[in-house]
Amino acid sequence: MEIEIISFGQITEFINNQKIEVDGIADTDAFKQYLEDRFPALKGIKYKLALNKNIVQQNTEILNQATIAIMPPFSGG
Amino acid sequence: MSAERYNRQIILKGFGEEAQQKLLRAKVLVIGAGGLGCPALQYLAAAGIGHIGIVDDDTISLSNLHRQVLFTTADIGKLKVEIAAKRLQEMNTQIGIIRHPIRLQKNNILDILSRYDYILDGTDNFESRYLINDACALLNKPLIFAAVSGFEGQLAIFNAPDHLTPSTNYRDIFPIPPDKGEVANCAENGILGVLPGILGTMAAAETIKLIAKIGQPLINKILNYNLLTQEQYTINISHGGGYILPKTVDDFLNMDYQDTSEGPQGYIEIDASELVKLQQLESTILIDVRERHEVPILDKQIFTQVPMSEFGAFMSKEFYQKHVVLICQHGIRSVAAAEAMQEKYGDAKKIYSLKGGIVKWRDHFLKS
């Protein structure tokens, strides 16, 4: 299945916006695990996922052609 | 009396005299008169927000001027709130501007926020942002949040319910603050001046929409803005849970916001961004208290080397600088040096110790 990844802030330094073709990722928990395995730098920082523009607050099923955004906190002013 | 000044927005379809009256009756507090706060303040004042409070305890420095557009070169060294209030009052003589030349902390924030209807957060650090978020949630004050990083910005409105979702707050997105140093700030990372200009202006627009009840303000949404691509990506926020939000004043006062404010010890522990600010003051001496053999070796033009083994001799001499920043490898010996200095100088000098030391802020020292 196809998932589009959109990243923001410092996360763009190691995860580009991209479409990935993966199998066996059924939900957002599995996707999070996949991301942290593939991009270990993510483990050390705070971030939030949004599935199809909705903040992920609990494990949620991912369907084909989903868009998942990875957002870190900003503090600058 | 004010019809002519605000004529161009009053004649706007969907705005009108009624919306203008709402602005004139509104009380808005802008926290931080920096890159975000300056443009936000300019448009809020020009639009006729009747009462505007400004919170900032900082003075203007040369490196502020590329983005903090209320200030001029002649203003360097002066208090931001004073200059900002003066300029805004000159621009709009019909509104009230209230100066708060303080740093918000647990013990003063509730009192100040309770005097206003809307809060705009234009601060530059996570401690302040979580403090403000929690205080706004406790007092049920709508919070307009803007922040920048690199070439990107975030904009949201918290603590304002819409017809679909009860109000959300910043902790629904990020339940706990990042560790210090986990996210680089503007002083470490750099910032193009126009970016906070855009985000600050957008924050003013959201504030005006919220007060005038027009359009669809970013309630329960967070907008991500990218300056390089001019793309915006808006995410819907829902309740997260699993975090601690103080429900009473007592709970609030017991929270730990890692204030870098002055503790009972007298000296102040600072991070790298505060070090950068202090570094720009002429009255600052930066002292490296490590022994001469320790690495990395710092630039001796910038850092005066006074090893702990020679510290007593140094203390017996007089020096003119008012701000003294002590630095060591891990921020432990520098605390001991700060204690000794504090004991000798008391209030005569301001003493700082770099928390975490050179190891914690390695990138900062390798750059400089």
Side-chain angles (χ1 to χ4, degrees), chain B residues 255-266:
Chain B
M255 294 286 286
D256 178 16
Y257 293 101
Q258 290 178 298
D259 280 348
T260 49
S261 54
E262 208 163 331
Q265 72 273 26

Side-chain angles (χ1 to χ4, degrees), chain A residues 9 46 53-55 57 72 76-77, chain B residues 35 148 152 154 172 182 236 238:
Chain A
K46 309 270 183 306
K53 299 199 167 182
N54 293 310
I55 285 271
Q57 300 290 23
Chain B
V148 291
E152 296 175 46
Q154 291 174 340
D172 286 308
E182 190 183 309
N236 299 310
S238 53

Side-chain angles (χ1 to χ4, degrees), chain B residues 107-305:
Chain B
N107 59 9
N108 60 19
I109 187 169
L110 297 178
D111 173 43
I112 292 189
L113 262 54
S114 62
R115 303 178 210 171
Y116 295 87
D117 309 318
Y118 300 87
I119 314 299
L120 194 159
D121 178 1
T123 58
D124 62 358
N125 62 86
F126 284 111
E127 290 92 330
S128 297
R129 291 191 180 279
Y130 279 86
L131 176 76
I132 294 163
N133 177 73
D134 290 4
C136 284
L138 181 63
L139 298 171
N140 208 16
K141 299 277 180 192
L143 169 62
I144 298 91
F145 171 96
V148 291
S149 174
F151 293 103
E152 296 175 46
Q154 291 174 340
L155 184 65
I157 299 174
F158 299 120
N159 300 316
D162 64 9
H163 62 288
L164 292 172
T165 322
S167 63
T168 51
N169 73 89
Y170 191 57
R171 289 189 191 265
D172 286 308
I173 313 175
F174 301 110
I176 55 166
D179 298 329
K180 274 206 168 181
E182 190 183 309
V183 180
N185 62 30
C186 297
E188 293 157 355
N189 225 9
I191 197 85
L192 199 64
V194 68
L195 176 70
I198 292 167
L199 265 293
T201 305
M202 287 167 89
E206 290 307 300
T207 309
I208 289 167
K209 284 161 62 184
L210 200 59
I211 297 169
K213 298 196 184 344
I214 58 166
Q216 287 93 43
L218 285 166
I219 294 170
N220 294 329
K221 294 180 189 339
I222 181 163
L223 180 151
N224 290 268
Y225 172 83
N226 187 319
L227 180 92
L228 296 180
T229 60
Q230 288 293 6
E231 282 180 320
Q232 300 186 5
Y233 193 86
T234 304
I235 292 168
N236 299 310
I237 309 167
S238 53
H239 272 273
Y243 56 79
I244 299 165
L245 195 63
K247 292 277 185 289
T248 67
V249 173
D250 280 345
D251 287 351
F252 179 77
L253 293 174
N254 282 323
M255 294 286 286
D256 178 16
Y257 293 101
Q258 290 178 298
D259 280 348
T260 49
S261 54
E262 208 163 331
Q265 72 273 26
Y267 62 85
I268 303 171
E269 289 199 274
I270 58 168
D271 63 15
S273 65
E274 288 158 302
L275 173 67
V276 170
K277 279 189 203 160
L278 284 164
Q279 226 168 324
Q280 290 157 356
L281 301 175
E282 214 192 329
S283 60
T284 299
I285 181 170
L286 305 171
I287 302 179
D288 176 5
V289 301
R290 297 173 307 157
E291 299 304 314
R292 293 186 193 281
H293 59 82
E294 292 186 68
V295 288
I297 292 165
L298 304 183
D299 186 345
K300 292 196 173 58
Q301 305 278 6
I302 302 171
F303 300 93
T304 306
Q305 203 171 19

